[in-house]
Amino acid sequence: MKFYKKRLKYVIPLTIVVAVTSTMMLFNRFPDVPSLHKFLILVSATIFTAIISYFLFPQPDEDRPEDRGPY
């Protein structure tokens, strides 16, 4: 599998948005959750978002080979 750097223009901003939003939600709405658990939730949500968004966003058009089907 080839690593596509141009997908990162979608992955990085989305990951930042998820990290900031989850930080605000955890610290404002759930003060009774221990700090270690908050940290683990933040890290796992950020990594999960980065991995899922990298595979779900399509690759750029210039990197996609021509579609040469049997038709």
Side-chain angles (χ1 to χ4, degrees), residues 3-63:
F3 181 74
Y4 296 102
K5 289 184 181 179
K6 293 189 179 185
R7 284 187 187 178
L8 294 180
K9 69 180 179 179
Y10 299 111
V11 173
I12 292 174
L14 184 63
T15 304
I16 291 171
V17 167
V18 167
V20 169
T21 308
S22 61
T23 302
M24 290 183 346
M25 286 178 65
L26 279 173
F27 283 97
N28 291 335
R29 296 184 183 178
F30 303 102
D32 53 339
V33 176
S35 295
L36 177 63
H37 293 171
K38 287 180 185 179
F39 176 74
L40 293 175
I41 291 170
L42 291 173
V43 169
S44 61
T46 305
I47 291 173
F48 182 74
T49 302
I51 292 171
I52 292 298
S53 62
Y54 179 80
F55 289 112
L56 289 181
F57 280 113
Q59 60 183 328
D61 290 333
E62 59 265 4
D63 291 339

